[in-house]
Amino acid sequence: MTEFRQDKAIYLQMAESLCDGILSGRYGPEDRVPSVRELSESLSVNTNTVVRAYDLLTRQGIIYTRRGMGFYVSPEARDIIMENRRREFMEERLPELFHQMKLLDIPFSTVEERWKKSR
């Protein structure tokens, strides 16, 4: 059974996980993703939770349905995910990072050095 975090709705975590699979190359453009039933059984979650995740991804243009065939990765899925995640990083995570750096008196040069070492 998969462990889900308590700080975020399960359907959002499932959608993020599928997006991670697309970004990592596990699912390419036009690849079929697991059916609602397959995913609900493999993760031991209610089918309604999977439907909610897939509905979100469909509205975002990341996946689409082929009638009677299932869900597939849209050709532009990777670009959509990258745009969404970059925007989230710039608007939500980066300001918090800067706030913490300021509170802890960490100069940007220290972060830059770490960045260069990690590459």
Side-chain angles (χ1 to χ4, degrees), residues 23-37:
L23 291 178
S24 72
R26 180 173 171 205
Y27 300 108
E30 304 297 339
D31 281 353
R32 182 182 172 279
V33 296
S35 71
V36 169
R37 182 181 298 167

Side-chain angles (χ1 to χ4, degrees), residues 96-115:
E96 176 58 25
L97 175 67
F98 289 155
H99 175 72
Q100 290 298 319
M101 287 173 63
K102 187 182 234 181
L103 287 176
L104 299 171
D105 196 26
I106 299 172
F108 187 78
S109 59
T110 302
V111 175
E112 187 176 27
E113 287 172 25
R114 284 280 182 102
W115 169 258

